[in-house]
Amino acid sequence: MALSTEQSITVVSERDVFSISGPRYLTSVDWKFPHQRRAVAACLVQAAYILDCDRQENRRGPNALAPAWWQFCHFDLIRTLVDDADCSIFGAIFELKPPFLIQNAPRFVIAFRGTLTRRDSVARDLTLDFHLIQNSLHRSSRSEIAIQAVRNIVSASGGSNIWLAGHSLGSAMATFCGKNMAKCGVLLEAFLFNPPFFSAPIERINNQKVKHGLRIAGSVITAGLSIARKLKQERPVIEDSFAVISSWVPCLFVNPNDHICSEYIGYFEHRKNMENLGVGIIEKLATQNSLGDGFLSAIGRGSESDPLHLLPSAILSINLSPCPDFKAAHGLHQWWQPDLHLQTRQYMYN
């Protein structure tokens, strides 16, 4: 039966085609090298994006674009994660084929996509973006589906050789799952690409003295609000929960030209500077609390949950390669390029 013109025409982006945009230089994966592990994790997140694109464009079988993104590194797709609100695919669980189970390689990777601006998913994704800004992502049914999937994999495999990976909104979802598992003593390796950090864009200020002064002022105010809340016994266990997850050290990948994630640079660096100045106790309080949430709590509208984006420990990689625009800076494709100029530092909470 012949297809109508409307049925037969689909728009295919070159960025979705592995043979055009994927890391074709990785003819084989050596799991000892961090840049290859990063590239594989990013590609599996890209696969989660394209799985939903394939669904929306009704691409199946040999016409589907997503499989190439996991097959090149010898993974199988074992389950898609489907949002109950709009039936969109927001994540996927991949398993490395048994002959390739070797040291430093994951057995399972649970990958979460970010916001997808397509007709059948954009409304739900933007709603969740708004929940993220309000620090209420944990209340969404998508979060419940995600954490239950992670728990099931951990229970079935014993919690070893499991990776979490996500981009943008998907990074927030992976962070939510990673934090929850860390509170249970299960430390999952995590690759968080362009993770959202919602705050005033201080990192974009060029004057270092002004930037440093604003961060110190913010720390003092945030610490003061935190002490006030403790005295009112509104959130007495936040500090304990922050310390509990301090052994979880996710890998964060940020671009300084991406205002959505660039504040992580200042967040960790400022904490180290405050320790060097001998006022680490102030920053220890401030780093666990959001200034915005502190003001909301002062007027009785704060969240009952600690801010999702605040992390005690991390390995932070900053892409210092030239970037043409914000779209590229926030994009996922940058993270599997072979010639990235990365600055990587590890920050541990004490």
Side-chain angles (χ1 to χ4, degrees):
M1 181 176 69
L3 295 176
S4 68
T5 301
E6 182 178 356
Q7 290 174 310
S8 62
I9 295 177
T10 58
V11 177
V12 177
S13 169
E14 289 186 352
R15 297 176 68 81
D16 293 348
V17 181
F18 180 83
S19 61
I20 299 175
S21 299
R24 291 172 292 163
Y25 63 90
L26 280 180
T27 54
S28 63
V29 178
D30 191 330
W31 297 99
K32 296 191 301 291
F33 294 107
H35 70 279
Q36 295 193 21
R37 291 155 62 84
R38 180 194 73 236
V40 170
C43 285
L44 294 179
V45 175
Q46 178 71 357
Y49 273 105
I50 303 175
L51 276 166
D52 199 54
C53 294
D54 282 346
R55 176 190 69 87
Q56 294 191 45
E57 298 295 342
N58 199 29
R59 294 191 295 251
R60 301 178 181 177
N63 294 322
L65 300 178
W69 290 89
W70 64 76
Q71 291 172 350
F72 91 97
C73 49
H74 309 293
F75 279 87
D76 286 325
L77 172 67
I78 62 172
R79 180 188 167 189
T80 56
L81 303 179
V82 179
D83 194 299
D84 61 349
D86 64 355
C87 296
S88 64
I89 297 172
F90 69 89
I93 304 175
F94 303 97
E95 182 178 16
L96 194 64
K97 294 180 180 179
F100 298 92
L101 290 177
I102 57 176
Q103 188 176 7
N104 299 314
R107 180 180 177 187
F108 296 101
V109 178
I110 306 168
F112 302 100
R113 67 164 175 82
T115 303
L116 192 58
T117 55
R118 286 180 172 250
R119 62 184 182 276
D120 292 344
S121 54
V122 64
R124 175 61 168 167
D125 287 353
L126 290 178
T127 297
L128 291 170
D129 287 334
F130 187 66
H131 280 307
L132 182 59
I133 294 172
Q134 292 186 311
N135 192 33
S136 60
L137 186 66
H138 59 284
R139 298 186 191 137
S140 69
S141 59
R142 183 180 290 189
S143 294
E144 289 299 317
I145 294 168
I147 190 60
Q148 190 57 55
V150 172
R151 286 171 179 157
N152 290 343
I153 291 293
V154 168
S155 177
S157 68
S160 60
N161 298 326
I162 300 172
W163 288 6
L164 298 173
H167 174 248
S168 194
L169 174 62
S171 279
M173 194 66 67
T175 300
F176 168 75
C177 294
K179 277 188 167 184
N180 273 271
M181 297 311 300
K183 290 174 183 178
C184 301
V186 179
L187 307 179
L188 303 179
E189 191 161 356
F191 296 79
L192 310 178
F193 302 102
N194 302 86
F197 191 114
F198 295 107
S199 72
I202 298 175
E203 190 60 30
R204 301 182 69 83
I205 297 173
N206 293 324
N207 189 305
Q208 293 299 317
K209 290 184 178 179
V210 172
K211 183 190 298 186
H212 189 49
L214 286 173
R215 290 200 184 282
I216 291 177
S219 293
V220 171
I221 294 171
T222 304
L225 290 170
S226 174
I227 293 171
R229 279 185 292 178
K230 285 188 67 176
L231 292 175
K232 293 172 64 176
Q233 295 185 338
E234 290 180 358
R235 294 171 66 180
V237 297
I238 290 299
E239 288 76 14
D240 291 340
S241 67
F242 207 73
V244 164
I245 66 171
S246 61
S247 296
W248 182 54
V249 189
C251 298
L252 276 62
F253 301 93
V254 306
N255 191 307
N257 295 307
D258 174 14
H259 63 267
I260 292 177
C261 68
S262 62
E263 280 302 306
Y264 270 113
I265 301 171
Y267 172 72
F268 284 109
E269 191 63 22
H270 176 62
R271 194 167 76 192
K272 186 178 73 172
N273 291 338
M274 293 289 278
E275 290 172 357
N276 293 338
L277 289 173
V279 287
I281 187 63
I282 294 177
E283 187 58 22
K284 189 172 183 179
L285 286 171
T287 198
Q288 303 169 41
N289 296 275
S290 163
L291 180 59
D293 194 49
F295 280 120
L296 289 175
S297 293
I299 61 174
R301 298 182 61 183
S303 171
E304 78 283 357
S305 175
D306 53 314
L308 180 62
H309 62 282
L310 300 185
L311 296 168
S313 306
I315 298 173
L316 180 68
S317 294
I318 306 169
N319 183 7
L320 299 177
S321 304
C323 188
D325 52 33
F326 166 75
K327 184 177 180 181
H330 189 65
L332 181 60
H333 284 63
Q334 64 185 301
W335 301 114
W336 60 73
Q337 301 307 316
D339 54 353
L340 287 184
H341 178 199
L342 290 183
Q343 179 187 85
T344 300
R345 292 177 181 172
Q346 179 169 308
Y347 298 90
M348 296 300 298
Y349 179 80
N350 298 314

